[in-house]
């Protein structure tokens, strides 16, 4: 998406780059607050789960479950 000099190839690629960054941030936030076992360590429960009332839509948006 980005030339070696740091410029984005065009406006469409700039939008795709922004959307991919946003998607990565939403997924990371959803995995951080998802109640239940950790993704990489299923034997351990998440030490800081968020309340289901607001974590549920975030996890659903990211498709983490």
């Amino acid at each position: 998406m980005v030339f070696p000099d740091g410029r984005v190839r065009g406006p469409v690629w700039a939008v795709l780059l922004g959307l991919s960054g946003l998607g990565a941030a939403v997924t990371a936030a959803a995995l951080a607050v998802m109640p239940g076992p950790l993704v990489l360590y299923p034997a351990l429960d998440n030490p800081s789960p968020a309340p289901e009332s607001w974590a549920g839509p975030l996890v659903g948006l990211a498709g983490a479950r």
Side-chain angles (χ1 to χ4, degrees):
M1 288 187 202
V2 179
F3 282 119
D5 65 356
R7 292 183 303 136
V8 180
R9 292 178 60 178
V12 173
W13 289 101
V15 170
L16 290 175
L17 184 64
L19 287 175
S20 64
L22 179 64
V26 167
T27 301
L31 290 175
V33 299
M34 185 171 57
L38 296 174
V39 174
L40 295 177
Y41 301 100
L44 299 174
D45 280 337
N46 188 358
S48 60
E52 251 333 290
S53 61
W54 65 272
L58 181 63
V59 171
L61 177 66
R65 274 232 168 143

